[in-house]
Amino acid sequence: MQMTTLTIITGDQLSQNLASLKAIDRGRDHVLMAELWDEVEYVRHHLKKIVLIFSAMRHFAQALEDDGYCVHYHRFDPAASMRSFSDAVAAHCKRHAIDEIVVTRPGEWRVFDAFNRLEKTLGVPVRMVEDERFVSTPGEFAEWAGARKNFRMEFFYRLMRRKTGLLMDAEGQPEGGQWNFDADNRKKWKGRPESARPMSFAPDDITREVIDLVSSCIDGFGELDGFDFGVTPGQARRALAHFVKTGLPWFGDYQDALPDDEDYLFHSRLSAYLNIGLLDPLEVCRAVQAAWQAGEVPLNAAEGYIRQIIGWREFVRGIYWLKMPDYAEQNFLDGDQPLPEWYWSGRTKMRCLERAIENTRRNAYAHHIQRLMVTGNFALLLGVRPPEVCEWYLAVYADAFEWVELPNTLGMVMFGDGGLLASKPYAASGKYIQRMGDHCANCRYAVSERTGDDACPFNALYWDFLMRNQKQLDDNPRMRMMYRNVERLAPADKAAITKRANWLRENVEAL
Ligand code: FAD
Ligand code: DLZ
């Protein structure tokens, strides 16, 4: 007798070559997709993120139907009692004779866990297949990690370069004689060359319908006006080609820059497309490599970009699947402060934070240095409870799914894993922010001051962070220079820093 399978496709699995779609009998098997309250509500997502996902899901379902798949699609119904993936699958199995449920490994542990429990609750076998839209698998990462105590992205990245052959010469050596050109990628941007903008797409009928739906019944974060994400693979590919031409040539040089009035500078805004399946990471890297081979972009730009994708992106995913679910609980530096309310409202007088949060509210986007060295750095210095920081990052960005958000936030930003992911905390005073951009020139706080009433809050919090965490950090060789500077502080300076930092923590909502 022939079996009927049910393949569940989640909102971040919108790829025609998804592993779970490969063995489908299009005439007989079912595909299930559902817009659901639980997915909308598990954090207070940005409204643009919800629109992106619903609209891309609807376009994808249409494309599958056009290709002959039998798609069962549940549109969002605010009054529906069906809230979760488990509800949707249970209802489907009640109405149809299903012999097997097939899922591709989901992007978040909570969904992975729920799918694994379905077999027991429904009595239908569940088969989970590996997500092949990555360069490496969790198994391969676990093998590489082996007995290592600390993982370094750079070494895993080299493995991925060898595996993919990207930017490798005929002798198996890295192009340009170096694996990494990061040292060339720290320029301050002074208005030239002119900044690039990611490609913008006018909403079509489907997207407009979703915008009306979301604005009528979902209380999300941020602004919905001006939604301009692509929602199909074709649009995502156009956005990639546009970036390669307009942004990539300068991506390397200005990757770490923090200009006051630029939302994107030379960043690609491709992460959301990659993470929901509209773009394939290797396709992106090959386009970047081809531009370098054609002499259109310098090697430091191509290498820097490819490293983000086959290096950082793969590396953080490896850590997530290796260490979950315990990873989410870690709090190495004992952060115990609440996340300031103005992370949600954007109402702070600190210019760099105001700009980063305002960008986030408008665009469901902030570039990496805003996430790491502005909003992230401040949360680290303040000593915020990691789960509150992680929840914020998971909610506010269109590209946020836990497999990528959590290691970046808990590991890279909060040093919550004690150095498994990053070799030292990315803690920095206002001086760093001043060096990399022009926020400070537009700020009401004085970056040159450490403890006065008008002093940049990052400054006292930075020194206080080092002093408070000395026991956990001062045997870290990469922190030696910072602790040598702490030792040079006179006792009176230390006392003034502690006093100012305590005041800042107590009055953080008014900063
Ligand atoms: P570009 O600067 O153009 O970089 C190119 C691509 O490289 C990105 O599209 C992305 O796919 C990849 N990439 C770059 N850095 C990283 C990284 N550290 N980890 C994984 N991939 C990377 N990225 C997400 O995709 N989702 C998240 O939820 C997310 N949360 C983050 C939270 C924090 C606290 C920090 C510090 C970083 C986070 N990142 C996350 C990584 C990075 O900031 C974003 O990928 C990047 O800003 C997306 O914008 P872009 O596409 O313009 O990137
Ligand atoms: C983020 C999101 C939202 C807001 N809504 C849905 C949805 O209604 N249906 C769906 O399938 N996916 C949605 N997503 C994406 C999921 O949260 C994401 O696929 C899982 O977290 C990955 O495990």
Side-chain angles (χ1 to χ4, degrees):
M1 214 178 67
Q2 287 189 321
M3 293 214 318
T4 301
T5 68
L6 173 67
T7 292
I8 309 161
I9 297 190
T10 64
D12 56 350
Q13 297 182 337
L14 310 179
S15 313
Q16 290 265 8
N17 59 353
L18 197 70
S20 53
L21 284 175
K22 279 186 183 155
I24 271 193
D25 180 325
R26 295 184 195 191
R28 191 186 57 235
D29 295 330
H30 299 184
V31 171
L32 177 66
M33 297 176 71
E35 298 167 5
L36 298 157
W37 262 130
D38 275 12
E39 295 311 299
V40 166
E41 278 192 327
Y42 71 93
V43 289
R44 191 164 172 247
H45 296 289
H46 198 295
L47 292 165
K48 284 194 166 103
K49 176 182 184 183
I50 301 173
V51 170
L52 169 68
I53 288 172
F54 281 9
S55 179
M57 282 174 70
R58 290 181 184 197
H59 282 88
F60 184 69
Q62 186 61 57
L64 288 182
E65 276 175 12
D66 292 348
D67 277 354
Y69 289 89
C70 171
V71 182
H72 295 250
Y73 192 96
H74 295 274
R75 287 178 167 225
F76 188 71
D77 171 5
S81 58
M82 180 194 290
R83 292 192 60 92
S84 65
F85 288 120
S86 307
D87 293 345
V89 178
H92 193 91
C93 290
K94 223 170 169 183
R95 242 177 285 132
H96 305 271
I98 297 296
D99 301 293
E100 188 185 43
I101 296 165
V102 186
V103 291
T104 299
R105 179 195 286 266
E108 304 202 344
W109 176 271
R110 71 191 167 82
V111 182
F112 175 81
D113 190 41
F115 284 161
N116 278 326
R117 279 189 276 112
L118 276 180
E119 181 157 335
K120 209 165 166 198
T121 49
L122 297 180
V124 181
V126 175
R127 185 158 53 88
M128 194 174 288
V129 294
E130 204 42 80
D131 192 338
E132 293 168 350
R133 301 169 305 160
F134 291 89
V135 178
S136 62
T137 61
E140 187 180 12
F141 186 86
E143 202 177 301
W144 173 81
R148 291 166 209 248
K149 265 206 196 130
N150 301 303
F151 310 146
R152 290 296 158 255
M153 188 284 293
E154 182 62 28
F155 299 112
F156 185 69
Y157 165 55
R158 292 179 191 181
L159 192 69
M160 295 297 104
R161 286 273 292 276
R162 290 199 173 95
K163 181 173 178 179
T164 58
L166 285 162
L167 299 182
M168 300 298 288
D169 69 17
E171 274 78 53
Q173 295 304 310
E175 293 287 5
Q178 254 170 260
W179 289 102
N180 182 319
F181 291 83
D182 221 13
D184 301 344
N185 291 358
R186 295 190 186 131
K187 293 198 181 124
K188 182 170 174 172
W189 183 70
K190 295 182 182 147
R192 286 280 172 274
E194 206 171 301
S195 60
R197 273 197 63 81
M199 184 166 263
S200 162
F201 298 92
D204 64 5
D205 289 349
I206 294 179
T207 303
R208 275 199 299 273
E209 197 182 343
V210 171
I211 289 174
D212 289 345
L213 169 76
V214 169
S215 57
S216 70
C217 60
I218 296 176
D219 173 32
F221 167 79
E223 293 172 20
L224 188 42
D225 282 353
F227 178 91
D228 73 340
F229 281 96
V231 289
T232 64
Q235 290 180 327
R237 276 192 207 111
R238 282 172 56 205
L240 166 63
H242 172 81
F243 165 69
V244 169
K245 212 164 157 195
T246 60
L248 181 62
W250 297 280
F251 175 84
D253 288 356
Y254 301 109
Q255 200 180 331
D256 287 357
L258 267 177
D260 191 54
D261 214 11
E262 290 290 332
D263 292 347
Y264 302 100
L265 195 57
F266 301 109
H267 292 273
S268 66
R269 197 183 67 160
L270 295 179
S271 49
Y273 303 142
L274 281 159
N275 295 352
I276 67 174
L278 303 186
L279 276 180
D280 176 74
L282 278 179
E283 175 189 0
V284 171
C285 292
R286 288 192 189 116
V288 168
Q289 175 174 255
W292 170 69
Q293 282 164 338
E296 290 158 7
V297 306
L299 185 55
N300 72 310
E303 187 283 317
Y305 196 83
I306 287 173
R307 176 163 21 94
Q308 306 311 313
I309 307 243
I310 65 168
W312 280 112
R313 189 168 184 271
E314 295 288 329
F315 179 68
V316 298
R317 180 170 184 263
I319 290 184
Y320 182 78
W321 286 113
L322 186 69
K323 294 294 176 187
M324 280 299 279
D326 299 346
Y327 195 71
E329 309 299 321
Q330 296 195 29
N331 185 2
F332 179 73
L333 296 178
D334 298 323
D336 60 359
Q337 299 294 304
L339 185 75
E341 183 51 37
W342 45 255
Y343 268 71
W344 299 100
S345 71
R347 281 192 286 275
T348 168
K349 296 183 278 294
M350 289 176 278
R351 179 75 178 185
C352 54
L353 280 154
E354 188 264 321
R355 297 301 299 158
I357 297 169
E358 208 256 323
N359 186 4
T360 302
R361 286 184 58 81
R362 249 185 311 114
N363 300 320
Y365 178 88
H367 62 71
H368 185 66
I369 299 304
Q370 289 181 312
R371 297 188 203 195
L372 179 63
M373 299 310 297
V374 180
T375 45
N377 184 24
F378 192 84
L380 171 74
L381 300 183
L382 192 67
V384 178
R385 293 188 278 267
E388 290 184 33
V389 191
C390 294
E391 185 182 334
W392 185 80
Y393 280 99
L394 190 55
V396 303
Y397 293 115
D399 59 27
F401 299 92
E402 204 185 55
W403 66 266
V404 52
E405 173 276 325
L406 186 73
N408 270 298
T409 310
L410 188 133
M412 195 184 295
V413 157
M414 299 305 291
F415 207 68
D417 61 12
L420 181 79
L421 182 146
S423 56
K424 71 173 179 62
Y426 284 85
S429 69
K431 225 186 238 165
Y432 173 90
I433 292 166
Q434 182 187 32
R435 198 166 52 241
M436 298 314 295
D438 48 0
H439 292 308
C440 303
N442 296 293
C443 187
R444 59 105 46 228
Y445 292 103
V447 67
S448 53
E449 287 179 30
R450 195 163 58 197
T451 53
D453 288 348
D454 289 332
C456 166
F458 280 82
N459 290 341
L461 288 173
Y462 167 75
W463 291 102
D464 174 72
F465 168 84
L466 292 177
M467 294 185 317
R468 274 191 300 116
N469 294 298
Q470 185 150 8
K471 226 167 57 207
Q472 287 100 315
L473 298 177
D474 77 351
D475 62 350
N476 180 331
R478 296 206 59 208
M479 301 293 289
R480 212 160 280 151
M481 207 166 80
M482 292 185 192
Y483 277 106
R484 234 176 269 144
N485 291 335
V486 170
E487 253 108 65
R488 285 197 196 108
L489 291 171
D493 289 338
K494 286 187 177 173
I497 286 166
T498 304
K499 188 171 167 214
R500 167 83 173 151
N502 288 340
W503 186 90
L504 290 167
R505 260 189 292 276
E506 276 158 30
N507 295 278
V508 69
E509 294 297 354
L511 294 180

